[in-house]
Amino acid sequence: MKKELIIIGASGHGKSCLDAALSAKEFNFLGWLDNDNETSEVFGYKVLGKTRDLPRFVKKNLDI
């Protein structure tokens, strides 16, 4: 079963992380958390909220 993934930051480094994650084929990418008010979608994936919204996406069964 693929692990769910949200990337914090939808600019340069975040895009590189997405590329690596998709190449690994181990993740179900849910979207981004980003503080840019003008960004609602990057590479076809939604911006789910701002970095301050992270706690509502955290699950107790995290693989860290």
Side-chain angles (χ1 to χ4, degrees), residues 4-6 16 24-25 30-31 34 39 47 51 54 58 61:
E4 293 181 331
L5 175 67
I6 294 173
S16 295
K25 298 181 182 181
L30 302 178
D34 194 274
T39 304
V47 175
T51 56
L54 180 61
V58 174
N61 60 345

Side-chain angles (χ1 to χ4, degrees), residues 40-60:
S40 63
E41 188 174 293
V42 177
F43 290 160
Y45 295 99
K46 289 189 175 202
V47 175
L48 304 171
K50 300 194 177 298
T51 56
R52 68 174 178 250
D53 299 319
L54 180 61
R56 72 183 173 118
F57 294 101
V58 174
K59 295 181 179 180
K60 291 184 179 180

Side-chain angles (χ1 to χ4, degrees), residues 6-18:
I6 294 173
I7 296 177
I8 299 172
S11 59
H13 188 70
K15 291 174 185 174
S16 295
C17 291
L18 174 61

